[in-house]
Amino acid sequence: MNLEELFLKRQSTREFSDKTVPDEALMEICRLAMLAPSAVNQQPYNMYAINGEKAKQFTKNVQKEGANAWADSCHAYIVIEARPPRVIMRGERRISNEEFIPEDIGILSAYITLAAESMGLQTCIIGLRDEAGIADFLNLPKGTGFPLIIAVGYAVNDYPVREKRRRAFEETFKLIK
């Protein structure tokens, strides 16, 4: 599959089949995602893959206030934890990555979803979550941030690939010379 085909095929999937996700696939997705660029190469995140029965128990953490009922069909998740900001020295200059952490996590999530799609797995990026519940589930301190959760699985048979509806290229892009 070429890059454009991958971009056209990748979408948010909200109906997963009963087919289990191999642990090795989750590990490979996360390994590839680690190649994502990040500001000052700080990689301000940790990734946790939750699979199988543990994923079923985890699901309640992405179903706040009755949302995301479709997640009951999900067999695996990749949880992104935001690490605390760091200050590094570049010669005499002090550089903090704090303001770039959201962008770095966004880039990481794009790498995760595209790596999964290239392996025949579908994803859905979830922003609505119970961070205290997730910290408890992962046995991490309360107050730990989890900006994005990514549901991972195989779409049900005949799950439609939706046409990409985007603004006109000319409306979005300007070449300045």
Side-chain angles (χ1 to χ4, degrees), residues 155-172:
V156 293
N157 286 338
D158 300 321
Y159 192 82
V161 175
R162 298 178 297 279
E163 180 183 345
K164 303 284 184 191
R165 292 180 293 169
R166 301 294 186 262
R167 291 186 296 161
F169 183 71
E170 301 76 27
E171 196 179 312
T172 305

Side-chain angles (χ1 to χ4, degrees), residues 128-143:
L128 186 68
R129 69 233 174 259
D130 175 1
E131 289 194 342
I134 295 168
D136 188 53
F137 185 91
L138 295 173
N139 201 26
L140 294 170
K142 294 232 181 292

Side-chain angles (χ1 to χ4, degrees), residues 79-135:
V79 176
I80 301 173
E81 173 194 1
R83 297 177 70 184
R86 292 191 48 197
V87 174
I88 64 165
M89 297 300 293
R90 289 278 164 100
E92 299 281 323
R93 249 177 68 208
R94 293 172 48 91
I95 302 171
S96 171
N97 70 328
E98 183 170 15
E99 68 182 280
F100 304 109
I101 291 173
E103 289 85 352
D104 288 348
I105 288 173
I107 295 166
L108 176 72
S109 69
Y111 272 56
I112 289 170
T113 60
L114 291 170
E117 190 68 46
S118 76
M119 297 170 64
L121 288 154
Q122 287 68 55
T123 55
C124 187
I125 300 170
I126 304 170
L128 186 68
R129 69 233 174 259
D130 175 1
E131 289 194 342
I134 295 168

